[in-house]
Amino acid sequence: MNIKNTAATKSSPRRKPLLVDLALQGGGSHGAFTWGVLDRLLEESWLTFDGISGTSAGAMNAAVMTSGYAKGGADGARAALEGFWKSVSDAGKSSPFRRGPMEMLAGHWTLEYSPMFLAAELASRVFSPYDLAPAGFNPLRELLAEAVDFKALSSSPIKLFITATNVHTGSGHVFRNAEITPDVLMASGCLPTMFQAVEIDGEFYWDGGYAGNPTMTPLVRDCQSHDTILVQINPIKRSTVPTTARDILDRLNEVAFNAPLLKELRMIALLHKVADPGHGEGALWAKMRIHRIASDAMLELSATSKMISEWPFLCELRDFGRAAAQSFLDAHADDLGKTSTLDLDAMLETL
């Protein structure tokens, strides 16, 4: 797959400021797509960010963006995001999960033929992270500690909602600004087959995608904005039936990680139809306008590429995200603040 670079686009003509929320999905290095979306949205001076809900890579993008915004506004947020993803790429140079020569020559972004990746995949079905990495070290924690000013998050006017899954209860836990630490971000992205559960205040957590990818509820209850832009990187629909062992597992993961989000979207769709728009908590849900930035091209990416951190790949995904955001703005900028652009009625048809 070749993703073409997109030229920088000027901000839309000046218009009245609009409060919006962001809902950012997780998905490993595919989170660089979200980086591109945010990079483009941050160029729009009329967009004011009220709340951001993020899970896994979406949580990291949210924290880095908010920290950068606190220091230098939109330009600071864009610089912080680029710096973070560059540090991820630099750290990944020592990773044993590398593409083979043939994949590099062909320009294929996949680890399906990487001996080390295949060995690790097989080992994960026999051994746990507690067997293979007793110390529980994850280099990403240090990168986040350097990239994010957690004190700035605590006082930021942008409300952050970071989801992790409580191992004991199986329910999602939402961490807010003052509670967010490097460990919280690590917990939100803790895949249990790769990393040990993250302990926070005596509780243990796994990846938030099992409970909310991302969680929409706090955006409705705790924010003033009535417009939420969902940045989706995990495909909901696929036209083919997976037949190989890896493809079946990958599709199962997509279904599992999308299920909590779909449940909340269906609830919003139902409340749009039955809730009294003027009274009670139902009114908050009924007033929420939902938008989505996504791309069918994400269907073309191998699930193994979520482990690839090569800078050219991350930059391609960034440019891909910028293009998707531009397409959304071209089609729906005037709808923001007025009406949902995600077909909520279609959500009910799938019940």
Side-chain angles (χ1 to χ4, degrees):
M1 181 188 66
N2 291 319
I3 304 172
K4 296 182 179 179
N5 291 337
T6 55
T9 307
K10 293 183 178 180
S11 177
S12 300
R14 186 171 181 81
R15 55 177 284 184
K16 184 178 178 181
L18 178 70
L19 272 179
V20 298
D21 297 328
L22 298 173
L24 310 180
Q25 279 199 324
S29 65
H30 290 186
F33 171 87
T34 301
W35 163 30
V37 171
L38 298 177
D39 189 66
R40 178 63 189 91
L41 295 181
L42 284 162
E43 292 179 340
E44 298 296 323
S45 59
W46 56 278
L47 291 178
T48 303
F49 303 101
D50 188 11
I52 307 176
S53 179
T55 297
S56 193
M60 297 174 195
N61 275 319
V64 172
M65 170 184 158
T66 302
S67 174
Y69 203 98
K71 293 183 175 181
D75 289 341
R78 296 179 65 201
L81 285 164
E82 180 172 5
F84 169 70
W85 283 100
K86 185 62 169 66
S87 69
V88 169
S89 177
D90 290 342
K93 291 178 181 178
S94 60
S95 170
F97 303 143
R98 310 292 294 178
R99 290 186 299 154
M102 295 302 296
E103 289 71 55
M104 291 184 178
L105 288 172
H108 294 159
W109 298 111
T110 179
L111 294 176
E112 292 179 5
Y113 307 102
S114 165
M116 288 300 297
F117 178 82
L118 294 173
E121 185 179 49
L122 180 61
S124 70
R125 301 179 187 181
V126 180
F127 303 101
S128 86
Y130 297 86
D131 299 320
L132 301 176
F137 175 72
N138 188 333
L140 191 56
R141 188 186 188 283
E142 294 183 3
L143 299 183
L144 288 165
E146 293 178 2
V148 178
D149 183 338
F150 290 92
K151 184 176 181 181
L153 295 189
S154 181
S155 59
S156 172
I158 300 176
K159 306 175 189 70
L160 288 184
F161 308 100
I162 305 302
T163 301
T165 303
N166 187 299
V167 176
H168 295 300
T169 66
S171 60
H173 182 92
V174 177
F175 295 89
R176 289 163 169 79
N177 294 59
E179 303 169 303
I180 298 171
T181 65
D183 284 338
V184 167
L185 297 179
M186 297 308 302
S188 184
C190 178
L191 291 173
T193 58
M194 296 181 63
F195 306 108
Q196 295 183 21
V198 178
E199 183 179 4
I200 301 172
D201 296 332
E203 295 288 345
F204 291 84
Y205 297 93
W206 281 338
D207 194 296
Y210 298 108
N213 192 21
T215 303
M216 305 288 282
T217 301
L219 297 176
V220 177
R221 290 179 171 174
D222 299 345
C223 295
Q224 297 179 7
S225 168
H226 295 307
D227 287 83
T228 293
I229 301 174
L230 167 66
V231 182
Q232 190 167 15
I233 57 180
N234 294 307
I236 291 179
K237 294 183 178 180
R238 286 190 180 271
S239 60
T240 59
V241 176
T243 56
T244 68
R246 177 180 286 111
D247 288 345
I248 291 171
L249 287 174
D250 291 341
R251 185 56 182 154
L252 283 173
N253 284 332
E254 286 178 349
V255 171
F257 280 118
N258 279 324
L261 170 65
L262 289 175
K263 183 178 180 180
E264 285 192 291
L265 290 176
R266 287 167 183 154
M267 179 174 65
I268 293 173
L270 181 62
L271 289 172
H272 267 246
K273 286 187 173 296
V274 303
D276 184 339
H279 300 87
E281 183 174 329
L284 298 176
W285 293 89
K287 292 177 181 178
M288 181 59 72
R289 296 179 286 266
I290 306 297
H291 314 273
R292 179 169 61 189
I293 297 178
S295 174
D296 289 341
M298 298 302 286
L299 295 167
E300 301 177 28
L301 291 171
S302 163
T304 65
S305 66
K306 292 180 179 180
M307 298 290 292
I308 295 176
S309 58
E310 297 176 48
W311 185 239
F313 179 57
L314 299 182
C315 288
E316 286 188 358
L317 288 177
R318 174 204 60 196
D319 294 338
F320 194 16
R322 281 186 58 86
Q326 184 61 52
S327 295
F328 171 80
L329 290 170
D330 289 342
H332 300 300
D334 290 338
D335 294 318
L336 287 169
K338 298 177 182 178
T339 185
S340 289
T341 57
L342 179 63
D343 187 355
L344 294 175
D345 289 338
M347 295 286 142
L348 294 176
E349 292 175 2
T350 60
L351 288 173

